[in-house]
Amino acid sequence: MHPFTDKRSESVSALGEVRLLDKIRDWLGSAAPAEPYGMGDDCAILPRGKAARLITIDPVVYGGHFNDTMSPRATAQKLLKRNLSDLAAMGGLPTAAVLALTLEPRTSLRWLAGFYRALADCARHYAVPIVGGDITASTVPGHLSASLTLLGNPAHGSRTLTRRGAQAGDSIYVTGQLGNTLGTGHHYRFTPRLAEGAWLACQRAVRSMIDISDGLAKDLKSLQSPGLEAEILAEKLPLRRGANPRSAICDGEDYELIFTLAAKARRSDFERRWRAAFPKTSLTRLGQFVLAGTRSEAALNLANYHGYEHL
Amino acid sequence: MHPFTDKRSESVSALGEVRLLDKIRDWLGSAAPAEPYGMGDDCAILPRGKAARLITIDPVVYGGHFNDTMSPRATAQKLLKRNLSDLAAMGGLPTAAVLALTLEPRTSLRWLAGFYRALADCARHYAVPIVGGDITASTVPGHLSASLTLLGNPAHGSRTLTRRGAQAGDSIYVTGQLGNTLGTGHHYRFTPRLAEGAWLACQRAVRSMIDISDGLAKDLKSLQSPGLEAEILAEKLPLRRGANPRSAICDGEDYELIFTLAAKARRSDFERRWRAAFPKTSLTRLGQFVLAGTRSEAALNLANYHGYEHL
C-alpha cells in the first residue's frame, strides 16, 4: 500500500499533533500501558523490577525495508520482529519498546492506522508493551521511517551470548532454513527465535551467537575469532523453498540464529535435547571453525560471497 | 555546514559499512565503552546494577532541527542535550544512549566526523556512554536524521516527577529565562537542567514537572489537571536577551523546567533552599494553577498563544 496521499483530509497533517497522538493511543489500545508506565510524558517509566539491561534499535525505511507492495501490517510486524530477532540472538527476552516515527505531512492516516494496529497486535503477541515514542515531521518528500528501540533482559536471569567466543573445532549450527527471503515473503513473515535464543543462552557449551540479517556469509564473519575461518559444506545448507546455495549464503533477512557449540560438547546429546525442546524448529550443523588456512578443499570459500551492504 | 557532498570520495558511500563503523568507533573513542558493553553486537548490554527504568527518544532531522548554518558539533550537542532535558524533567540521570542514523550515501565524511566527535565530547561531559546504534541508508535524497534513545534512572533512587499532580493553588515555577531561542542560539547552546531536575524530584512539595520544548503556552497545558487553568502574569516572565513576552510564551526549545509546588508548601523557605543549591540558575514563580474560570483579569489568556506544532 502506498503510504502517502495528496488529499489533505486523509493525511496526518489534517489531524495535527494532539489529535494524532490520541489516535495513536486508540490504535495501540492495550499494547500501550496505562500511566505512569505509558506514553505521554517526557520519559517512559518501566515498573520497578522491570529495569532493562539489553537494548537494540532498528528502523524500517520506506523504499528500503518496505515499499508499496507491502501492507502497513507486514511493515509493522517486520519492524518489531527484526528487533526481537536481535534480542533473541543475545538470549534475551523483551521488556518494552519505544517508537520514533519520522513522516512527511502527506502520510496517509489509513496507512498509519494499519501500521499502528498491526504493531499493537504483534506487541501483544510477544508481550512487548509500547511505552512511548516520538513523532517528527520529515522535511523531505517521500520520507517515511520508523525506528524502534527494544529493551529487554537476559532470559531467566541467565547469561547473554555475544558474537565472541568461538574457538577452533567448535561446531557451527543454524536454525530453520536459509535463502529466497524476498521471494517467499519470509523477510516479514519470519518468527523471531526468542524461545530458541533463550534456551541456547542457558547451554554452557554454546559459546557465541548472532542472527542472520545481512546474509550467512557476512554474519558468519562476525562470529569468526581472529585466526579462525569457517569450514562449511554447500550440501549442508538447509534451503528454503525456491532457494539455491548462493541465495542461502548471500540473502539477508533470514532472521535465523547461527551459534557455535564447543568442540568438546557431545553433539548427539545436544541435538537430541534441541529436538525435544523445539520439535518444530529444524537445526543444522553447517560445519565448524578451523584454524585459518586449514579449511578442507571441499568447503565453501566464503570470501567469494557477499552479504547485504547497507551503504 | 552542508552535510552532503557530490564528491563520492568524500562521502560515506566511498567508505562502505564496515570501514564506516571502524571510523565511528574512532570518532567516539572513550565515549563508547569496551566489549561486551559497547557497540558491535546484536544488542547493547548494560553492566549489572546499571539496568535502566527511564527511556526517552528524540531525533534531529536535517531541515528541521538543524540546517546548513549549524555546525555538526552544535547538531550533535543538541541531539544529546534535548534528550537529557527530557530525562531532567522526570528527575532522572542518564545511564547510556544508543544512536540510530538514517543517511543518504552522499553524506559527507567531514560532517559525520564532526558530528560523532562532538557527540563523544558531549557524552563524556554528561557521563553518558554511547553503547550502540544502527546505521541505515536513506532512500530519499536530502534526508539525514539521527534518533537518540537515552536510558536513565531516577536520581539517587528517589521518585520520578511526571506531568500529572498539579492541584488548585499550586505555584508554577520556571528555571532560567524564556524566549528568543533561535536568535540567541540557545536552541543548541542550552544546558540541560539535570542537577536541578534531580534535586526537585527529591522535594516532596514539588508535584509535577515538564521541560519546555514546544513553548511555555503549549507545555504548560500538559501540566494542567482537568478543571484547572494557569494564572500567570506577563510581567513575571523571565525574558532571555532580545525576547519579548510573546516569544517567551510561544518559542520552543527553551529546555527549561516548569514545575508546580504544593500550595501548602512554604515558598520563601523553598526558594531559599533553591538559591543555596543552584546559585547560578534563576528561578521564577510565574503564578499558580486556579480552578478553571477563576483566573484574574490581569492574567494572561494562554488560549491566545500557540506553541510549536510538529505536523
Side-chain angles (χ1 to χ4, degrees):
Chain A
M1 179 182 165
H2 186 63
F4 307 118
T5 174
D6 288 326
K7 291 194 189 153
R8 189 169 181 280
S9 63
E10 298 174 0
S11 74
V12 296
S13 62
L15 217 53
E17 185 190 343
V18 173
R19 282 190 297 159
L20 178 58
L21 284 173
D22 285 343
K23 281 274 185 202
I24 289 175
R25 272 194 194 87
D26 278 356
W27 294 332
L28 286 176
S30 62
E35 293 189 54
Y37 302 123
M39 301 162 55
D41 221 307
D42 295 295
C43 296
I45 308 177
L46 298 183
R48 272 176 205 279
K50 287 277 183 181
R53 284 188 61 210
L54 298 175
I55 314 110
T56 187
I57 184 165
D58 249 347
V60 287
V61 177
Y62 177 64
H65 309 89
F66 68 102
N67 56 29
D68 292 351
T69 71
M70 246 169 92
S71 67
R73 176 165 199 87
T75 306
Q77 291 171 339
K78 179 170 182 170
L79 174 61
L80 180 54
K81 291 192 301 183
R82 67 199 299 255
N83 279 284
L84 287 168
S85 183
D86 278 327
L87 200 55
M90 307 285 290
L93 292 174
T95 305
V98 294
L99 181 73
L101 209 64
T102 306
L103 41 72
E104 69 150 301
R106 281 191 317 134
T107 302
S108 107
L109 284 171
R110 205 172 131 238
W111 190 93
L112 210 57
F115 175 86
Y116 269 104
R117 287 200 180 110
L119 183 72
D121 284 347
C122 191
R124 279 186 287 263
H125 180 76
Y126 288 104
V128 186
I130 308 291
V131 297
D134 177 72
I135 295 180
T136 299
S138 166
T139 55
V140 180
H143 181 83
L144 174 61
S145 67
S147 186
L148 189 129
T149 303
L150 183 66
L151 304 171
N153 278 306
H156 319 298
S158 69
R159 67 179 178 145
T160 49
L161 285 171
T162 70
R163 297 179 179 185
R164 292 171 72 101
Q167 297 181 18
D170 288 4
S171 291
I172 300 168
Y173 282 92
V174 68
T175 62
Q177 280 84 41
L178 300 177
N180 195 23
T181 55
L182 274 177
T184 55
H186 180 83
H187 69 104
Y188 62 85
R189 288 209 181 96
F190 69 97
T191 301
R193 301 296 191 190
L194 282 165
E196 292 87 345
W199 185 87
L200 288 166
C202 292
Q203 314 299 316
R204 284 276 142 206
V206 175
R207 299 210 220 230
S208 61
M209 185 154 67
I210 190 174
D211 73 322
I212 308 181
S213 47
D214 295 340
L216 177 70
K218 185 169 167 189
D219 290 327
L220 195 50
K221 277 194 197 106
S222 299
L223 286 189
Q224 186 176 300
S225 310
L228 297 190
E229 66 179 329
E231 180 182 72
I232 69 178
L233 298 169
E235 60 265 33
K236 289 285 183 70
L237 294 167
L239 301 183
R240 185 169 291 111
R241 179 169 52 83
N244 56 41
R246 175 164 287 274
S247 116
I249 298 168
C250 299
D251 280 13
E253 307 205 293
D254 292 295
Y255 299 112
E256 296 292 350
L257 299 175
I258 327 177
F259 62 89
T260 57
L261 184 75
K264 64 168 197 273
R266 292 170 63 176
R267 293 207 312 255
S268 59
D269 182 52
F270 173 81
E271 290 171 11
R272 192 173 35 73
R273 288 192 298 113
W274 173 275
R275 283 191 301 270
F278 304 105
K280 291 181 179 170
T281 310
S282 67
L283 183 68
T284 306
R285 183 176 179 272
L286 294 175
Q288 58 186 333
F289 277 114
V290 296
L291 293 173
T294 69
R295 190 182 69 232
S296 86
E297 285 201 8
L300 285 162
N301 182 359
L302 292 172
N304 293 335
Y305 298 86
H306 297 284
Y308 184 78
E309 173 66 33
H310 289 263
L311 291 173
Chain B
M1 179 183 168
H2 186 64
F4 306 116
T5 175
D6 289 325
K7 290 195 190 151
R8 189 168 181 280
S9 62
E10 297 174 1
S11 74
V12 296
S13 62
L15 217 52
E17 186 190 344
V18 172
R19 282 190 297 161
L20 178 57
L21 284 174
D22 286 342
K23 282 271 185 205
I24 288 176
R25 272 196 195 88
D26 277 356
W27 294 332
L28 286 177
S30 62
E35 292 192 52
Y37 301 122
M39 301 163 55
D41 220 307
D42 295 295
C43 297
I45 308 177
L46 298 182
R48 276 175 202 277
K50 287 277 184 182
R53 284 190 60 209
L54 298 174
I55 313 110
T56 187
I57 182 166
D58 250 346
V60 286
V61 177
Y62 176 64
H65 310 89
F66 69 101
N67 56 30
D68 292 350
T69 71
M70 245 169 94
S71 68
R73 177 164 198 90
T75 306
Q77 291 171 338
K78 179 169 183 171
L79 174 61
L80 180 55
K81 290 193 300 183
R82 67 199 299 256
N83 278 284
L84 287 167
S85 183
D86 278 327
L87 199 57
M90 307 285 288
L93 292 176
T95 306
V98 294
L99 179 74
L101 208 64
T102 306
L103 42 71
E104 69 149 301
R106 280 192 317 136
T107 303
S108 102
L109 284 171
R110 203 171 132 235
W111 190 94
L112 210 58
F115 176 86
Y116 269 104
R117 287 201 180 109
L119 184 71
D121 284 347
C122 192
R124 278 185 288 262
H125 179 78
Y126 288 104
V128 186
I130 309 290
V131 296
D134 177 74
I135 295 178
T136 298
S138 166
T139 55
V140 179
H143 180 84
L144 174 61
S145 67
S147 186
L148 189 128
T149 302
L150 183 65
L151 304 171
N153 278 305
H156 318 300
S158 68
R159 68 181 177 143
T160 49
L161 285 171
T162 70
R163 299 179 179 187
R164 294 169 73 99
Q167 297 180 20
D170 288 4
S171 291
I172 300 168
Y173 283 92
V174 68
T175 61
Q177 280 84 40
L178 301 177
N180 195 24
T181 54
L182 274 176
T184 55
H186 179 83
H187 70 104
Y188 61 86
R189 287 208 182 96
F190 67 97
T191 301
R193 301 297 191 189
L194 281 165
E196 293 86 344
W199 185 87
L200 289 165
C202 293
Q203 314 300 316
R204 284 275 142 205
V206 175
R207 300 210 220 233
S208 62
M209 186 155 65
I210 189 174
D211 73 321
I212 308 183
S213 47
D214 295 340
L216 177 70
K218 185 170 170 189
D219 290 326
L220 196 49
K221 276 191 198 108
S222 299
L223 286 188
Q224 186 175 299
S225 309
L228 297 188
E229 63 179 330
E231 182 183 70
I232 68 177
L233 297 169
E235 59 265 33
K236 290 285 184 67
L237 292 167
L239 300 183
R240 184 170 290 114
R241 177 168 52 84
N244 56 40
R246 175 165 287 275
S247 116
I249 298 169
C250 300
D251 280 14
E253 308 204 293
D254 292 296
Y255 301 110
E256 295 293 351
L257 298 175
I258 326 176
F259 63 89
T260 59
L261 184 75
K264 64 167 196 275
R266 293 171 62 175
R267 293 208 310 256
S268 58
D269 182 52
F270 173 81
E271 290 169 12
R272 191 173 34 73
R273 288 193 296 115
W274 173 276
R275 283 191 300 270
F278 304 105
K280 291 182 180 172
T281 311
S282 67
L283 182 69
T284 307
R285 183 176 178 273
L286 294 176
Q288 59 187 333
F289 277 114
V290 296
L291 292 174
T294 69
R295 191 182 68 233
S296 87
E297 284 199 10
L300 286 162
N301 183 359
L302 291 172
N304 293 337
Y305 299 85
H306 297 284
Y308 184 77
E309 172 68 33
H310 289 262
L311 288 175

